[in-house]
Amino acid sequence: FSAPGRSEIGGNHTDHQCGEVLAASINNDAIAIVQKLKEPCVKVISDGYELITIDLDDLDRREDEAVTTNALIRGVLAKTKEYGYQIGGFQAFVTSDVLIGAGLSSSAAFETLMGTILSYLFNDGKISPIEIAMIGQFAENVYFGKPSGLMDQMASSVGGFITIDFADEKHPVIDSVKFDFTKSGHALCIVDTKGNHADLTPEYAAIPVEMKSVAAFFGKKVLREITKEQLLENICAVREKCSDRAVLRALHFFDDNERVGKESSALSEGDF
């Protein structure tokens, strides 16, 4: 089994505000060699890491597992079961060239990998890519403890070059971008700068919190429910109530959300 990393093309921090994104899966992926087990447990060993064993009779969230791979596996198993699908014991050896903590969504690739294994080993491949993405997001948000939107998991699970509109969170609209990137004369290069944002979860979490605080000023849950014009008309009061940084982040959302549509239209017309 395999699941790719992803690169965000457009729509930066728009997904958790029910916005639009433009994303692409890349040819760096996580790969698993898998075998079913008769015993009710999941055993996963990643290349270079210790063996992880998860008991299928113990799938409750654990505080001491926050921000660990154990949490991702346990969360995927729990949500898959909650969705009414079958789970079972298996052992997997995982190797990945999706750089960790580098913005390529290594965690989403891993969640998608686990969901895909469960789909094909125990459910005849009937768990849809969208459901696999939502299961992965649940594992990351609730069990792992990172409040990510759905773009990372969706781009990995659906694959290809796509736009996603999250206006209806439970039924995101996915469209394939009809553009042959290989004929553009350009290549997307993944460069290992040795940087790592894996320990920046609190800083990351502040972004959706501050964006939602601006939406809350207008009595809404997310920024997609208000307009840029509304924000500008009330900007002095919003700055005082929510902070300058929250306002800047809200303005960033509106501009980037609009940019996705422009980028998608340009690509569909072959205008790289």
Side-chain angles (χ1 to χ4, degrees):
F1 297 93
S2 71
R6 71 98 188 96
S7 179
E8 167 196 301
I9 310 298
N12 176 252
H13 286 287
T14 52
D15 54 340
H16 49 65
Q17 299 301 303
C18 297
E20 298 181 52
V21 302
L22 178 63
S25 56
I26 60 175
N27 61 354
N28 296 67
D29 58 356
I31 300 170
I33 309 298
V34 183
Q35 182 181 40
K36 277 187 178 181
L37 293 175
K38 292 182 180 179
E39 54 191 303
C41 68
V42 169
K43 297 180 178 181
V44 177
I45 185 163
S46 296
D47 192 12
Y49 294 89
E50 296 293 319
L51 173 69
I52 295 171
T53 301
I54 304 293
D55 189 336
L56 297 185
D57 296 321
D58 180 18
L59 298 180
D60 291 338
R61 177 179 173 272
R62 294 184 177 185
E63 287 286 348
D64 62 347
E65 281 187 349
V67 202
T68 68
T69 304
N70 300 53
L72 296 180
I73 300 170
R74 200 182 301 273
V76 168
L77 287 164
K79 197 63 174 179
T80 301
K81 187 177 181 180
E82 185 183 312
Y83 270 22
Y85 290 110
Q86 296 296 314
I87 62 173
F90 66 87
Q91 58 185 5
F93 176 78
V94 178
T95 182
S96 176
D97 59 2
V98 183
L99 298 173
I100 295 173
L104 299 175
S105 298
S106 57
S107 58
F110 185 83
E111 294 150 14
T112 298
L113 184 64
M114 293 297 112
T116 303
I117 289 169
L118 291 171
S119 179
Y120 284 90
L121 277 191
F122 305 106
N123 296 279
D124 299 320
K126 292 178 180 176
I127 308 179
S128 72
I130 292 176
E131 287 176 308
I132 288 174
M134 289 179 169
I135 288 167
Q137 184 198 22
F138 169 85
E140 187 151 329
N141 289 177
V142 178
Y143 278 58
F144 188 83
K146 183 177 180 180
S148 66
L150 189 56
M151 174 183 67
D152 299 353
Q153 292 82 5
M154 196 74 82
S156 179
S157 183
V158 175
F161 200 176
I162 56 175
T163 59
I164 314 168
D165 188 338
F166 292 105
D168 182 346
E169 285 185 285
K170 294 185 178 178
H171 302 94
V173 177
I174 305 167
D175 285 312
S176 176
V177 177
K178 305 299 182 186
F179 179 79
D180 186 352
F181 191 85
T182 59
K183 292 181 180 177
S184 69
H186 294 76
L188 176 65
C189 297
I190 307 301
V191 180
D192 184 2
T193 64
K194 306 302 179 186
N196 192 326
H197 66 204
D199 60 349
L200 297 179
T201 295
E203 286 83 355
Y204 176 95
I207 300 170
V209 168
E210 290 179 10
M211 286 185 172
K212 287 177 180 177
S213 74
V214 175
F217 178 91
F218 296 93
K220 304 296 183 180
K221 287 180 63 178
V222 292
L223 291 174
R224 185 70 180 270
E225 297 178 296
I226 67 170
T227 65
K228 184 178 182 180
E229 290 66 34
Q230 282 178 285
L231 173 58
L232 294 175
E233 287 169 6
N234 297 274
I235 196 164
C236 292
V238 180
R239 285 177 66 188
E240 187 174 338
K241 174 81 172 178
C242 304
S243 83
D244 283 354
R245 191 170 73 174
V247 170
L248 287 170
R249 284 177 162 164
L251 290 169
H252 167 85
F253 165 80
F254 291 119
D255 290 346
D256 234 45
N257 201 52
E258 181 182 359
R259 193 174 292 116
V260 168
K262 292 179 178 179
E263 290 171 334
S264 180
S265 295
L267 290 172
S268 66
E269 294 165 5
D271 183 1
F272 184 76

